[in-house]
Amino acid sequence: MLKKKGNDYYLVRLEKDKAIPNVYVYSNGVTKPYKTYTDLKDIVMEFPE
């Protein structure tokens, strides 16, 4: 799942055997970890559909 916020793209990636996805930010050609979430609802609140 790829989300755009401002000039940055956020990649929400669900890893195998992991209930909570990792979120990465893609900016200026660089992908780096954005932050680690402990609850799925936090991701939903920050990246509403």
Side-chain angles (χ1 to χ4, degrees):
M1 177 170 68
L2 191 64
K3 300 277 189 181
K4 188 173 193 312
K5 279 177 128 186
N7 293 323
D8 296 333
Y9 287 90
Y10 291 84
L11 177 65
V12 181
R13 191 172 79 194
L14 185 61
E15 293 187 4
K16 192 177 176 188
D17 302 326
K18 196 168 176 211
I20 300 161
N22 288 332
V23 179
Y24 301 88
V25 59
Y26 178 80
S27 181
N28 299 323
V30 178
T31 303
K32 56 190 176 217
Y34 173 52
K35 61 174 146 175
T36 303
Y37 292 90
T38 55
D39 203 322
L40 194 57
K41 74 176 181 342
D42 293 337
I43 297 174
V44 174
M45 284 167 56
E46 188 158 3
F47 299 99
E49 289 302 321

